[in-house]
Amino acid sequence: MSEQDSNWKYADYIVTESEAIAKARAQSLELGIEPLSPAVGAQVAVLAAATNAVNIVEIGTGAGVSGLWLLHPSSRSVLTSIDSEVEHLGYARQAFSDARIASNRVRLITGRALDVLPRMNENSYDVVYVDGDPAQVIENVEHGLRLARSGGTVLVPHALWRGRVADPAQRDDVTSAFRTLVQEIASSTAVVSALSPVGDGLLQITKLD
């Protein structure tokens, strides 16, 4: 095992997940959903806490793992989460209930992100978490930046896409989309950004005034 792999495994190992998150993670794997890793979950929670996030949008609900991490830091935070799979939303709803999160703190929307996002209020959200269809990651991030307030943050997990983004020989459509996104965000003067190698990569983008 390489030193880098050891670091990644250790970063996951030291995270203590709540019983509700652990249950949602197990459910995700049963459904064939790839949830964010424990280390990425912890990092997402830190960023939500650091930005005092109250209004949060999530693209890609899954079985609720990422939503639980996003809501973890504050009892005041409210999550709007979008997923096209009704079954996934049902499991997520149960996960939030198991975690004793009040129903008025979670709004679950069934639909395609690219159909729902244009109808949402711009410059209104503290955090936008983008984990929908990877083939649409660029479009979803564009919408996320529109929805984020000045000083708000867009988070993109899987930004290294199974280690393929860093390998220029990998040129499939999804890898190319993530690579283009990372490069364009890095050169943009409208945001500050950082790419964390934790898990499968977490791209962090904060919108400037």
Side-chain angles (χ1 to χ4, degrees), residues 46-70:
V46 167
L47 291 165
T51 55
N52 294 313
V54 174
N55 297 311
I56 302 170
V57 173
E58 177 184 45
I59 302 168
T61 312
V65 176
S66 49
L68 289 169
W69 275 116
L70 288 162

Side-chain angles (χ1 to χ4, degrees), residues 18 20-21 24 54 56 58 63-80 92-108:
S18 68
I21 293 176
V54 174
I56 302 170
E58 177 184 45
V65 176
S66 49
L68 289 169
W69 275 116
L70 288 162
L71 289 171
H72 176 68
S74 172
S75 60
R76 297 188 306 117
S77 54
V78 176
L79 175 72
T80 299
R93 184 175 287 105
Q94 184 60 53
F96 295 130
S97 176
D98 290 344
R100 298 185 179 181
I101 294 172
S103 59
N104 63 356
R105 293 184 59 203
V106 180
R107 178 189 180 203
L108 301 179

Side-chain angles (χ1 to χ4, degrees), residues 6 22-24 26 53 93 125-126 155 157 164-165 177 203:
S6 296
K23 182 178 178 181
R93 184 175 287 105
Y125 295 91
D126 304 305
L155 301 174
R164 298 170 67 87
V165 168
L203 180 60

Side-chain angles (χ1 to χ4, degrees), residues 143-159:
H143 279 293
L145 287 169
R146 182 183 61 82
L147 298 181
R149 63 168 174 80
S150 295
T153 296
V154 176
L155 301 174
V156 188
H158 306 296

Side-chain angles (χ1 to χ4, degrees), residues 64 94 101 129 133 184 206:
Q94 184 60 53
I101 294 172
Y129 181 84
D133 183 348
E184 290 186 354
T206 295

Side-chain angles (χ1 to χ4, degrees), residues 1 21 52 56 86 119 139 148 158 175 177 195 202 204:
M1 182 182 294
I21 293 176
N52 294 313
I56 302 170
V86 175
R119 302 197 299 267
E139 294 91 336
H158 306 296
T175 300
L195 176 59
L202 179 66
Q204 305 153 68

Side-chain angles (χ1 to χ4, degrees), residues 119-187:
R119 302 197 299 267
M120 299 181 71
N121 294 331
E122 61 183 31
N123 301 315
S124 300
Y125 295 91
D126 304 305
V127 169
V128 182
Y129 181 84
V130 179
D131 192 18
D133 183 348
Q136 298 173 351
V137 65
I138 291 176
E139 294 91 336
N140 285 337
V141 169
E142 288 174 347
H143 279 293
L145 287 169
R146 182 183 61 82
L147 298 181
R149 63 168 174 80
S150 295
T153 296
V154 176
L155 301 174
V156 188
H158 306 296
L160 293 173
W161 196 244
R162 298 169 171 79
R164 298 170 67 87
V165 168
D167 181 357
Q170 304 296 330
R171 299 183 180 181
D172 61 275
D173 290 346
V174 172
T175 300
S176 296
F178 275 104
R179 185 180 296 126
T180 297
L181 172 66
V182 169
Q183 292 172 346
E184 290 186 354
I185 288 296
S187 63

